[in-house]
C-alpha cells in the first residue's frame, strides 16, 4: 500500500479542491482519482461511491456532504463529537482500525476509504442511527437486517 499527503482547499460555496494522485485503499483499482478539478464535494462523494450509491446517501444524511465545518475544522458529530468527517466515522470505535490501515479520518479520501472498508465488513449497520434518512434511497428489493 502506498499512501501520501493530500492538500485540500474548500471555498466559501463548498467547492472542494484536492491536490494528489490516487490514494490506495488496499488496491489502487478500488480508489477513484482524487483530483476534483473544482467539482463539489457531493459530486466527489457520489463518484467515489458509484458502485455503492447508498454510501453517498449516508454521507448526505450524516454530514450533508461536508468534511469540514465553516472554519475549516474537520466536522464532528453533534451528539457524539468522536463522529468524524463526511461519513461520521466514530473514532472511539474505529480510530485504532483506521490507524492500522494508515487512514487519517480527518482527510476526505481516507474517511471515504474507511467507510467503504467498514461497509465491506459490517454492511449498513454502523449507520443505522441515520436509517430513517437514507433508507428512502434503498432499492425496494433490498432489506436491512437490524441487530
Amino acid at each position: 500500500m502506498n499512501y501520501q499527503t493530500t492538500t485540500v482547499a474548500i471555498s466559501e460555496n463548498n467547492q472542494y479542491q484536492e491536490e494528489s494522485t490516487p490514494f490506495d485503499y488496499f488496491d489502487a483499482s478500488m480508489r477513484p482519482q482524487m483530483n476534483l478539478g473544482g467539482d463539489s464535494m457531493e459530486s466527489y462523494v457520489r463518484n467515489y461511491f458509484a458502485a455503492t450509491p447508498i454510501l453517498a446517501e449516508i454521507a448526505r444524511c450524516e454530514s450533508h456532504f461536508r468534511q469540514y465545518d465553516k472554519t475549516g475544522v474537520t466536522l464532528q458529530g453533534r451528539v457524539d463529537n468522536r463522529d468524524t468527517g463526511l461519513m461520521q466515522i466514530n473514532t472511539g470505535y474505529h480510530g485504532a482500525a483506521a490507524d492500522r490501515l494508515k487512514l487519517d479520518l480527518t482527510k476526505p479520501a481516507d474517511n471515504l476509504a474507511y467507510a467503504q472498508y467498514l461497509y465491506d465488513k459490517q454492511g449498513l449497520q454502523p449507520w443505522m442511527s441515520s436509517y430513517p434518512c437514507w433508507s428512502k434511497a434503498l432499492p425496494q428489493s433490498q432489506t436491512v437486517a437490524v441487530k
Side-chain angles (χ1 to χ4, degrees):
M1 290 182 270
N2 296 320
Y3 299 95
Q4 61 192 10
T5 304
T6 302
T7 303
V8 173
I10 304 287
S11 67
E12 286 182 22
N13 61 355
N14 201 30
Q15 293 296 304
Y16 175 81
Q17 294 180 321
E18 181 174 316
E19 258 184 60
S20 73
T21 56
F23 188 97
D24 289 344
Y25 161 57
F26 299 118
D27 179 340
S29 67
M30 298 176 69
R31 302 289 302 262
Q33 177 66 33
M34 295 296 124
N35 189 342
L36 295 180
D39 286 347
S40 70
M41 183 65 86
E42 179 178 354
S43 295
Y44 175 66
V45 171
R46 290 193 185 283
N47 179 57
Y48 190 98
F49 290 131
T52 49
I54 193 62
L55 290 177
E57 290 304 310
I58 290 170
R60 179 183 60 79
C61 294
E62 292 284 347
S63 68
H64 304 279
F65 298 109
R66 294 176 300 142
Q67 175 72 15
Y68 305 104
D69 66 17
K70 291 177 182 177
T71 66
V73 174
T74 301
L75 187 69
Q76 294 181 313
R78 284 180 269 170
V79 175
D80 186 338
N81 67 3
R82 297 175 301 171
D83 295 341
T84 303
L86 282 158
M87 300 302 293
Q88 291 292 277
I89 306 293
N90 189 291
T91 57
Y93 293 106
H94 303 287
D99 289 345
R100 280 192 302 276
L101 296 170
K102 296 187 180 7
L103 297 173
D104 180 350
L105 297 175
T106 66
K107 294 180 180 179
D110 290 7
N111 195 275
L112 298 181
Y114 190 82
Q116 184 67 57
Y117 168 80
L118 192 56
Y119 175 80
D120 292 345
K121 295 287 187 191
Q122 297 181 22
L124 298 169
Q125 187 64 36
W127 297 281
M128 290 307 291
S129 63
S130 60
Y131 175 82
C133 178
W134 54 259
S135 65
K136 300 172 186 95
L138 285 170
Q140 288 187 349
S141 61
Q142 185 175 354
T143 58
V144 177
V146 179
K147 294 181 181 181

